[in-house]
Amino acid sequence: MAAETTTLDFQVATKKCELCQEKDAQFYCNDCQEMCSGCKTIHLRSKVSRSHNVVSTKLVNSIGKTTQPIKCTTHQSEIIRIYCTSCGEAVCVKCVTDIKHKNHNFDELETTLYSYQDEISQNILETKHRIEQLQKLIHTIDVNVKDNTEVSNKTINDINQQRKQIKSDVDKIADDLVDQVQKRKQQDLKLTQKEKKDLQKIISDHNEYLQTCEETLKLMKDI
């Protein structure tokens, strides 16, 4: 479908065939308006109208517009009417006999369009479903991140509280130990001072005794 198309907007209601005026119109021709399936066959076999672009009225109503005839890029005088399913290319009737499309499989262009339309609609539904799944996954991730953040913050807060408590306990123990050392130091100091005082008393007594002895000795020498 390489050719560029131009579009004509219009509204199509259920009408009678413009050619036989009997049956309901099932197809739309850009040049001849609505026609039934029987008239379509005759219309496309006629030398005058076989180059007309005829599409289903259902397709016209579903998209709200039709396309101007798309010329074949290989046979430029021919209009694209069928689709080569083997090579994935929209072609004209003459392309069917070309060696390029030998033994290929073909389908009506309209049927192929409907098939692609259904496929695209299915892809849209699957993509929307996938987006919903991904959004749910993102929501789950956000919830997990929030929960993990709250748990981590609580754990950190508990650790800090325990650290403060441990530090307070250590400080109390250290203060008690320092107080005990201070008391022991004071006790040792008093004991040492007492021992020193006792020793000084003994020395003083010895000095007095020594002086008495010296004086007695001197007296005896004088006698």
Side-chain angles (χ1 to χ4, degrees), residues 1-204:
M1 302 179 186
E4 182 179 356
T5 65
T6 57
T7 60
L8 296 175
D9 294 334
F10 61 89
Q11 297 295 328
V12 179
T14 303
K15 297 181 180 179
K16 293 294 182 181
C17 174
E18 292 284 342
L19 301 181
C20 69
Q21 295 292 325
E22 294 180 359
K23 298 181 180 180
D24 290 338
Q26 298 170 301
F27 295 90
Y28 180 86
C29 174
N30 278 334
D31 300 291
C32 304
Q33 303 303 318
E34 292 83 8
M35 64 186 69
C36 64
S37 59
C39 290
K40 171 201 170 188
T41 302
I42 298 173
H43 191 66
L44 294 179
R45 285 179 180 175
S46 172
K47 291 183 179 180
V48 178
S49 59
R50 65 183 177 183
S51 62
H52 290 183
N53 186 33
V54 180
V55 296
S56 168
T57 55
K58 292 181 179 179
L59 179 61
V60 171
N61 285 328
S62 66
I63 62 177
K65 56 187 177 182
T66 186
T67 58
Q68 294 290 354
I70 305 174
K71 298 294 184 179
C72 177
T73 57
T74 303
H75 308 95
Q76 297 183 358
S77 63
E78 296 293 324
I79 296 173
I80 290 175
R81 299 184 184 279
I82 54 180
Y83 186 79
C84 177
T85 59
S86 299
C87 60
E89 182 181 359
V91 296
C92 69
V93 176
K94 287 186 178 180
C95 289
V96 177
T97 60
D98 285 353
I99 190 171
K100 175 182 177 182
H101 298 282
K102 185 178 180 180
N103 297 325
H104 283 190
N105 296 319
F106 298 90
D107 200 353
E108 290 187 6
L109 184 60
E110 183 179 333
T111 302
T112 303
L113 288 174
Y114 277 125
S115 176
Y116 279 138
Q117 196 174 36
D118 292 340
E119 182 179 350
I120 292 173
S121 297
Q122 183 63 29
N123 289 338
I124 290 174
L125 291 177
E126 292 177 356
T127 302
K128 287 182 177 180
H129 179 66
R130 182 58 178 164
I131 290 174
E132 290 178 358
Q133 290 181 325
L134 293 174
Q135 288 176 337
K136 289 180 180 179
L137 181 59
I138 290 175
H139 177 70
T140 301
I141 292 174
D142 289 339
V143 171
N144 290 337
V145 169
K146 181 181 178 181
D147 291 343
N148 290 336
T149 301
E150 291 177 353
V151 170
S152 298
N153 290 338
K154 185 178 183 305
T155 301
I156 292 173
N157 184 62
D158 291 343
I159 291 173
N160 287 330
Q161 292 295 329
Q162 291 177 4
R163 177 167 60 182
K164 292 179 180 179
Q165 184 61 47
I166 292 172
K167 185 176 181 297
S168 176
D169 293 340
V170 170
D171 289 342
K172 186 176 183 303
I173 293 173
D175 290 341
D176 291 341
L177 291 174
V178 169
D179 187 58
Q180 292 177 15
V181 172
Q182 290 286 1
K183 290 180 179 180
R184 183 62 182 271
K185 184 184 72 172
Q186 294 296 329
Q187 292 174 355
D188 291 343
L189 181 59
K190 289 180 179 180
L191 181 60
T192 302
Q193 289 176 345
K194 184 177 182 303
E195 290 177 350
K196 178 181 178 181
K197 187 176 181 180
D198 291 341
L199 290 174
Q200 289 177 338
K201 179 67 171 62
I202 294 172
I203 292 174
S204 177

